[in-house]
Amino acid sequence: MRRLSLILILSLACNVSVLAYADAELIVVTHKENPVGAMSRSQLIDLFMGKYVAYPDGRTALPIDNNQLKSVFYNKLVGLSVARVNSYWSRIQFTGRARPPQEQDNDQSIVEYIKANKNAIGYIPKSQLTDDLKVVFEFNE
Amino acid sequence: MNKSGLLVRLALVIAFSSLAVGLISAELFYRLTYLNEVEIANKEITQLKQTVSATASIAAYLEDHELAKEVVNGLGTNDIVLGASIRINQQLITPEIEADGASLDFKLNSPFEPDKLVGTLSIVPNLSYIEQRARKIGQNNSMALIAQALVVTLIAIYITYVLITRPMINSAHHLHTISPGTRDRLKVPDFHDGSELGELVRDINKLLDKTESQISEERKLRNDIEVLEKRFRMLFENSVSPIVLMEPRGSILLYNEAFHLMLNKVGFHFKKNYGPLLAELFQTPERLQKAVQESFTNDEIATGEYKLKSNDKEDSFWVQVVVTSIISDDMKEYYQITLHDISKRKKELEQLSLQADYDQLTQLLNRHGLEKQLHNLIDTKTPFVILLMDLNGFKQVNDVYGHNVGDEILIHLAGVLKKGVRREDLTCRWGGDEFVLVLKQINKAEVLKIVDKLIAKINKPYYLANVDISVNVGASIGAAFYPENELNIHALIQKADQAMYMVKRQEGHGPTQHIQFCDQLPDTRQH
């Protein structure tokens, strides 16, 4: 009984946190020293969906998926569920050309990764923004 | 098989029209089918596009040639697709294909930004395949239609035959063999009791009924007329009197057996025309015609007695002629002539009249008869001489021997006289014992000759057998001539009488002068 109520509270909390997150603003960030400027949504799509593997200026890009925010991100980006995105990746997997973005567990790990990789580009809640990161896109509601 | 027969015509028409309809509809159907098939093909292609759309969009978005090739190859495996290609910004990312301008182009949009065009998917339909398919379908349909039309035709022909044509033809054939007036009737075909054909057959039968009854009525009428006609004919033919129906001009229309017999009797050959009112048969046709005319003018039936001409010189044939004028229904005039044979009656009358003119005892003319003859002679201006004869000694004989003897003597003397004159001369018993002889066209010398002979015979004794005696008589004769002596009978008789008296006076006074001519008389009157 206690375990059940614990699960309930946790799930609620999760939902709440998701909701909280859903309502929270999402930002796409790169390393502070990444020369890339602001990016358009289309450009982001091109990067995260495997069309391009380089930034507009030609330097290699390294898109990273945030496990925590994945569904919210893709929902906002392309209006698709994670499942759909996954099926997209599985479809083009045979041609071998494109690769899905690497995945990190949570916001913190995203921040860490980007701090470690100047080519990386990922997404975190706005509240997680640090000085090491540069915002290249902000999802408006 | 009757070329114009109902069955043949009907069959031909049905077959023809169903063939025409079948062919036309088959052609129409093929065209429609073809168009339809093309449309279907397009739809199918569109559906194919839908199937590959997502992948094609991704391929275009990623400019993934491999993926794109996979897509178009997949499409190419379809029968209805000749080939497909994907373009990005007009650039082919798949191998070139032959598109004869009939390709369907579909926009490929970014899978992630639906309003962003990333490329074009062109699919070329396999027209020949589509056409073939359409044609096949069309053909199948045509076959089906034609087969159907054929079946329907056969069924239609058969049903029409059984239901309409055959019963009609049967009825027609039967009617052909029916002769009106018999009991034969048409049979109403099965299942047609309520139909128009049944009604027609019933009407025909009614007509036949009427015809039959009419014919039998006519027959009966004809029979009645025949019976009537026979009776009339019997009446007509068996009539004893000849009856003739003729036209005014004389041509005979009807005559009976009696007429024929009459003609035979009078010795005439039968012919169709004896002239108006049978003129040629009569002695005095003008008299007959005049009498008939008069009667008709007075609106009477003409009737009269007329003598027929005859080959028989001895017999005379008299008929009473009755003529009636008849106007027929069509305003034509006819004469009905009936002849009644009155010859016998006429003969009897003649006999009677003869009797009136003749002396019964002596069979000589009597005074009346002689006078009649004398009138005739005077009328015809025939010269003659009258000899008035008185018997001498007759009275005594009569007184002595009786009247029977006297009669006998008179009869004998009459015979003598008759024999003693010529055939054309007349002998007459003028009175009890007076006789008159009239000798025609004679002169004195001849008179004397005849008289002498007569006197000789008269003076001869006459033997009476039953009384066994002979008697003697004599005669005194006076003569007068017409026209020399007198012109009328009375005067002639008188003169002859006077002359005779002269002779009688001289009887027993010298030589007997038996005859005296009146013009030789001494003129005693003047004394």
Side-chain angles (χ1 to χ4, degrees):
Chain A
M1 194 53 202
R2 269 188 78 203
R3 267 209 19 171
L4 188 64
S5 45
L6 196 61
I7 292 170
L8 269 167
I9 290 165
L10 269 171
S11 54
L12 257 160
C14 275
N15 286 340
V16 167
S17 65
V18 167
L19 280 169
Y21 278 131
D23 286 342
E25 287 167 8
L26 213 66
I27 47 172
V28 179
V29 294
T30 61
H31 195 275
K32 188 165 64 176
E33 288 165 23
N34 192 333
V36 71
M39 290 177 79
S40 70
R41 199 209 201 103
S42 295
Q43 287 167 327
L44 282 175
I45 291 172
D46 289 342
L47 277 181
F48 276 93
M49 301 318 290
K51 180 164 186 165
Y52 297 133
V53 291
Y55 288 106
D57 60 11
R59 292 187 312 106
T60 314
L62 206 65
I64 311 289
D65 266 332
N66 184 346
N67 194 25
Q68 240 178 327
L69 285 178
K70 211 166 162 186
S71 62
V72 179
F73 174 68
Y74 282 109
N75 186 34
K76 284 186 190 288
L77 185 70
V78 291
L80 297 170
S81 67
V82 173
R84 285 287 296 282
V85 172
N86 288 340
S87 82
Y88 163 78
W89 283 115
S90 58
R91 201 180 309 184
I92 61 172
Q93 212 114 18
F94 290 112
T95 59
R97 252 205 54 175
R99 282 214 182 82
Q102 280 183 31
E103 202 171 288
Q104 293 297 322
D105 292 330
N106 51 32
D107 307 331
Q108 205 52 47
S109 50
I110 296 285
V111 170
E112 292 300 318
Y113 189 85
I114 292 176
K115 254 199 335 207
N117 292 291
K118 293 221 175 84
N119 295 334
I121 175 170
Y123 47 89
I124 49 170
K126 195 169 179 185
S127 53
Q128 299 292 330
L129 183 64
T130 65
D131 295 331
D132 307 305
L133 302 170
K134 182 162 77 174
V135 178
V136 291
F137 186 80
E138 196 174 323
F139 286 101
N140 301 326
E141 293 313 300
Chain B
M1 265 266 115
N2 185 0
K3 260 203 288 183
S4 302
L6 278 173
L7 193 57
V8 173
R9 268 192 181 161
L10 202 62
L12 279 175
V13 165
I14 291 179
F16 225 69
S17 38
S18 51
L19 194 71
V21 166
L23 283 172
I24 290 173
S25 43
E27 178 64 21
L28 260 173
F29 200 88
Y30 172 72
R31 283 178 200 282
L32 282 174
T33 306
Y34 180 77
L35 289 172
N36 202 32
E37 282 304 305
V38 169
E39 214 182 289
I40 289 173
N42 285 347
K43 252 200 226 136
E44 281 178 5
I45 284 175
T46 309
Q47 278 176 349
L48 278 173
K49 175 253 167 190
Q50 299 284 57
T51 311
V52 302
S53 168
T55 314
S57 301
I58 293 171
Y61 173 68
L62 292 176
E63 292 174 50
D64 191 339
H65 289 229
E66 289 300 318
L67 192 60
K69 226 192 281 187
E70 195 183 300
V71 167
V72 299
N73 284 345
L75 282 174
T77 62
N78 277 284
D79 284 328
I80 61 168
V81 175
L82 193 64
S85 60
I86 299 180
R87 278 185 171 72
I88 299 174
N89 295 329
Q90 314 307 322
Q91 294 280 70
L92 273 171
I93 60 168
T94 53
E96 178 114 34
I97 50 159
E98 289 171 44
D100 39 2
S103 69
L104 280 99
D105 301 320
F106 303 96
K107 289 203 177 72
L108 292 171
N109 293 327
S110 161
F112 308 113
E113 291 169 290
D115 45 350
K116 210 157 164 208
L117 183 74
V118 294
T120 318
L121 172 64
S122 299
I123 306 181
V124 178
N126 190 352
L127 279 176
S128 65
Y129 174 78
I130 291 170
E131 264 175 36
Q132 208 180 30
R133 203 159 66 164
R135 208 175 300 131
K136 189 122 189 257
I137 293 177
Q139 266 173 5
N140 287 342
N141 277 317
S142 305
M143 300 288 243
L145 273 174
I146 287 175
Q148 191 184 52
L150 202 70
V151 169
V152 169
T153 303
L154 288 172
I155 292 178
I157 290 175
Y158 179 70
I159 291 197
T160 314
Y161 171 69
V162 166
L163 215 55
I164 297 173
T165 318
R166 190 170 61 185
M168 233 197 293
I169 289 176
N170 282 344
S171 297
H173 278 157
H174 191 188
L175 188 62
H176 197 66
T177 64
I178 288 184
S179 31
T182 59
R183 278 260 91 214
D184 207 356
R185 296 288 179 269
L186 289 181
K187 179 173 157 297
V188 174
D190 296 329
F191 310 118
H192 280 282
D193 264 338
S195 78
E196 292 88 338
L197 188 60
E199 229 180 275
L200 181 67
V201 166
R202 276 192 291 271
D203 283 342
I204 290 176
N205 284 339
K206 269 198 219 131
L207 206 69
L208 289 171
D209 285 338
K210 282 205 197 103
T211 311
E212 191 196 353
S213 71
Q214 238 178 333
I215 286 181
S216 69
E217 243 183 72
E218 296 258 323
R219 271 202 208 113
K220 188 170 156 299
L221 217 70
R222 229 185 311 136
N223 278 342
D224 289 345
I225 290 176
E226 260 180 54
V227 168
L228 208 64
E229 201 226 353
K230 272 206 189 94
R231 291 202 184 129
F232 280 122
R233 195 156 272 280
M234 200 170 62
L235 211 65
F236 184 69
E237 283 297 329
N238 292 332
S239 163
V240 179
S241 306
I243 307 175
V244 172
L245 185 71
M246 66 190 323
E247 285 176 347
R249 279 188 210 265
S251 57
I252 295 174
L253 302 171
L254 266 181
Y255 63 95
N256 61 0
E257 184 65 21
F259 181 68
H260 213 180
L261 289 172
M262 186 198 78
L263 286 176
N264 286 343
K265 221 167 33 161
V266 297
F268 270 91
H269 280 302
F270 176 78
K271 58 179 186 176
K272 279 258 157 177
N273 198 325
Y274 292 99
L277 295 172
L278 303 172
E280 289 169 27
L281 294 178
F282 291 102
Q283 294 262 12
T284 56
E286 331 79 33
R287 196 156 69 88
L288 166 63
Q289 275 175 18
K290 191 152 152 269
V292 167
Q293 207 58 28
E294 258 177 52
S295 302
F296 285 170
T297 316
N298 296 333
D299 218 5
E300 295 165 354
I301 296 176
T303 167
E305 297 173 2
Y306 299 90
K307 188 165 171 193
L308 296 171
K309 278 202 194 137
S310 159
N311 289 342
D312 189 342
K313 289 288 150 71
E314 294 294 313
D315 248 335
S316 60
F317 295 99
W318 282 84
V319 287
Q320 184 193 31
V321 180
V322 183
V323 183
T324 321
S325 168
I326 304 170
I327 311 279
S328 70
D329 286 336
D330 44 350
M331 308 308 284
K332 286 217 189 93
E333 195 189 14
Y334 300 97
Y335 290 146
Q336 182 202 356
I337 303 184
T338 315
L339 309 170
H340 302 287
D341 188 357
I342 52 168
S343 306
K344 194 152 146 214
R345 182 156 54 103
K346 220 38 182 208
K347 273 202 193 83
E348 282 170 11
L349 280 175
E350 261 179 41
Q351 289 283 44
L352 276 173
S353 120
L354 269 179
Q355 272 186 349
D357 289 346
Y358 283 84
D359 175 51
Q360 197 150 352
L361 184 71
T362 59
Q363 301 296 310
L364 301 176
L365 281 165
N366 59 18
R367 197 183 287 212
H368 181 249
L370 181 72
E371 273 173 15
K372 267 216 311 234
Q373 297 276 10
L374 288 175
H375 278 300
N376 267 351
L377 289 174
I378 290 173
D379 278 344
T380 57
K381 296 206 167 44
T382 315
F384 58 88
V385 62
I386 288 191
L387 302 173
L388 190 63
M389 184 189 289
D390 190 278
L391 289 178
N392 305 330
F394 178 75
K395 271 197 188 62
Q396 292 85 327
V397 171
N398 220 21
D399 292 340
V400 170
Y401 297 105
H403 286 282
N404 287 348
V405 170
D407 285 348
E408 211 184 304
I409 292 170
L410 283 172
I411 293 168
H412 159 72
L413 281 173
V416 167
L417 287 175
K418 241 193 138 82
K419 287 201 198 101
V421 297
R422 307 165 300 176
R423 192 177 276 188
E424 63 268 32
D425 298 330
L426 308 167
T427 46
C428 159
R429 187 180 173 194
W430 190 248
D433 62 344
E434 277 183 317
F435 291 91
V436 167
L437 300 172
V438 175
L439 310 174
K440 302 181 191 171
Q441 290 169 312
I442 195 170
N443 62 33
K444 280 193 185 155
E446 285 167 349
V447 171
L448 287 172
K449 242 202 203 146
I450 291 174
V451 165
D452 282 340
K453 279 211 190 101
L454 274 175
I455 293 292
K457 286 216 179 86
I458 291 169
N459 288 343
K460 236 196 209 155
Y462 181 60
Y463 176 71
L464 296 158
N466 34 355
V467 289
D468 192 25
I469 38 148
S470 291
V471 286
N472 259 7
V473 287
S476 306
I477 303 170
F481 276 90
Y482 168 88
E484 291 89 340
N485 298 131
E486 290 294 337
L487 291 172
N488 76 48
I489 298 171
H490 184 67
L492 283 165
I493 296 288
Q494 219 183 8
K495 281 270 171 70
D497 189 50
Q498 282 175 343
M500 183 204 66
Y501 195 65
M502 285 298 299
V503 172
K504 222 163 166 86
R505 266 212 337 206
Q506 287 176 11
E507 193 189 347
H509 295 92
T512 320
Q513 178 202 349
H514 306 285
I515 179 169
Q516 177 75 44
F517 291 100
C518 69
D519 56 358
Q520 290 171 331
L521 274 175
D523 199 357
T524 49
R525 283 176 298 137
Q526 286 168 347
H527 288 43

